[in-house]
């Protein structure tokens, strides 16, 4: 018996490469589900920080990942419908975007038990009519059979600048040099860990976005998706 799984586009890359924005826009355009897998690692990190659990207590952190009570929801905000993330019924969307949370996420993401605990939860996002999944190991581990795999890169400096502007727009305080240092530390941890490191899948299309706007990247991935899904029978 063959099971027809819904189509998946994976967008992997380091923090600040634009994968979240582009992934979300494409999912919206296609009417597909969107998985922000980094948010799951951030939720585990946030939960551990909130409970004063040391980030190297692998057993306790894996337990948090196994029992994570999180929901991805939408609410009507000042600027229209916006996606929000609930942890034990509390809206933690803003907290999740802080650098502390990003750093905690990168640390807890090193543990295989934590990654295993989140694996099925991520795969459950694969529903009809399709899924756009963003993260670090979407194309290599979580959805190795994805129909289109994209890997975005950009220099650490430009990614730090993008993050800086993003935080400023949200009215959050930020220091460019601190963000750059965090990004470099996170890049190192994410690419050097022994389980599911940040690397492009063999069959991924690699795009350097250093000199591209978000609109350019969206357009490029859209073209790739159209040609790939056309070959596969059309993207409706
Ligand atoms: O994409 P992000 O910045 O929200 O991810 C936060 C951290 O979570 C990142 O530094 C590493 C980890 N992560 C991961 O290990 N695997 C993923 N698929 C997504 C994120």
């Amino acid at each position: 018996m063959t099971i027809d799984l819904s189509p998946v586009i994976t967008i992997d890359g380091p923090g600040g490469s634009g994968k979240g924005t582009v992934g979300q826009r494409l999912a919206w355009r296609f009417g597909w589900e969107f998985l922000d897998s980094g948010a799951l690692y951030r939720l585990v990190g946030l939960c551990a920080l909130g409970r004063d659990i040391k980030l190297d207590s692998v057993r306790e952190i894996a337990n948090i990942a196994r029992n994570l009570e999180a929901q991805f929801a939408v609410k009507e905000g000042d600027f229209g419908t916006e996606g929000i993330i609930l942890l034990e019924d509390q809206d933690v969307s803003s907290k999740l975007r802080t650098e502390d949370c990003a750093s905690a996420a990168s640390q807890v993401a090193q543990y295989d038990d934590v990654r295993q605990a989140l694996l099925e939860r991520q795969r459950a996002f694969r529903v009809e009519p399709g899924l756009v999944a963003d993260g670090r190991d979407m194309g290599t581990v979580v959805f190795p059979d994805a129909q289109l795999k994209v890997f975005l890169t950009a220099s650490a400096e430009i990614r730090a600048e993008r993050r800086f502007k993003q935080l400023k727009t949200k009215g959050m305080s930020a220091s460019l040099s601190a963000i750059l240092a965090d990004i470099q530390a996170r890049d190192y941890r994410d690419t050097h860990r022994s389980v599911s490191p940040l690397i492009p899948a063999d069959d991924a299309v690699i795009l350097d976005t250093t000199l591209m706007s978000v609109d350019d990247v969206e357009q490029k991935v859209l073209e790739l998706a159209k040609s790939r899904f056309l070959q596969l029978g059309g993207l409706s």
Side-chain angles (χ1 to χ4, degrees):
M1 186 178 75
T2 56
I3 301 170
D4 274 331
L5 290 168
S6 351
V8 183
I9 297 174
T10 59
I11 308 185
D12 288 305
S17 56
K19 60 193 162 44
T21 312
V22 169
Q24 229 160 351
R25 285 194 191 177
L26 288 175
W28 183 83
R29 211 181 244 271
F30 299 156
W32 285 11
E33 190 65 41
F34 174 66
L35 166 61
D36 169 7
S37 63
L40 291 172
Y41 291 94
R42 286 172 185 257
L43 281 162
V44 175
L46 180 68
C47 223
L49 293 176
R51 293 183 196 169
D52 269 337
I53 292 172
K54 287 210 185 112
L55 296 177
D56 58 1
S57 309
V58 186
R59 260 188 40 190
E60 283 176 274
I61 305 276
N63 244 335
I64 291 180
R66 264 178 231 114
N67 300 303
L68 204 56
E69 253 187 66
Q71 278 169 284
F72 292 79
V74 285
K75 79 165 188 195
E76 285 309 315
D78 296 341
F79 305 104
T81 310
E82 55 186 74
I84 56 165
I85 302 174
L86 305 173
L87 178 63
E88 288 158 5
D89 295 329
Q90 300 269 345
D91 181 355
V92 291
S93 319
S94 307
K95 276 190 189 164
L96 285 184
R97 297 333 306 170
T98 62
E99 291 308 308
D100 279 353
C101 207
S103 168
S106 163
Q107 290 177 65
V108 302
Q110 299 176 80
Y111 308 126
D112 194 32
D113 283 356
V114 172
R115 306 197 73 84
Q116 288 302 326
L118 297 178
L119 194 56
E120 286 315 312
R121 198 186 276 259
Q122 294 174 83
R123 289 186 174 151
F125 278 78
R126 188 174 196 168
V127 290
E128 290 295 342
L131 168 69
V132 180
D134 119 43
R136 303 288 188 289
D137 62 342
M138 298 296 98
T140 48
V141 176
V142 183
F143 303 108
D145 60 338
Q147 285 80 356
L148 172 63
K149 299 178 185 179
V150 179
F151 191 91
L152 302 183
T153 61
S155 73
E157 287 73 17
I158 193 86
R159 288 185 284 123
E161 258 172 51
R162 288 174 186 166
R163 188 77 86 189
F164 179 74
K165 284 189 191 145
Q166 220 174 37
L167 292 173
K168 283 277 173 200
T169 322
K170 287 183 183 159
M172 293 161 91
S173 67
S175 134
L176 183 59
S177 57
I179 293 175
L180 178 60
D182 276 349
I183 281 190
Q184 286 167 332
R186 218 142 61 87
D187 280 358
Y188 185 85
R189 238 189 335 258
D190 293 348
T191 45
H192 288 83
R193 65 178 179 228
S194 55
V195 281
S196 309
L198 171 64
I199 42 160
D202 290 340
D203 50 350
V205 178
I206 300 176
L207 282 183
D208 184 341
T209 72
T210 305
L211 300 174
M212 292 169 88
S213 68
V214 176
D215 288 345
D216 293 341
V217 183
E218 182 189 2
Q219 212 43 49
K220 182 73 198 162
V221 181
L222 185 61
E223 278 166 25
L224 288 169
K226 280 190 177 158
S227 72
R228 189 66 57 96
F229 285 93
L230 221 69
Q231 284 164 19
L232 292 170
L235 180 66
S236 54

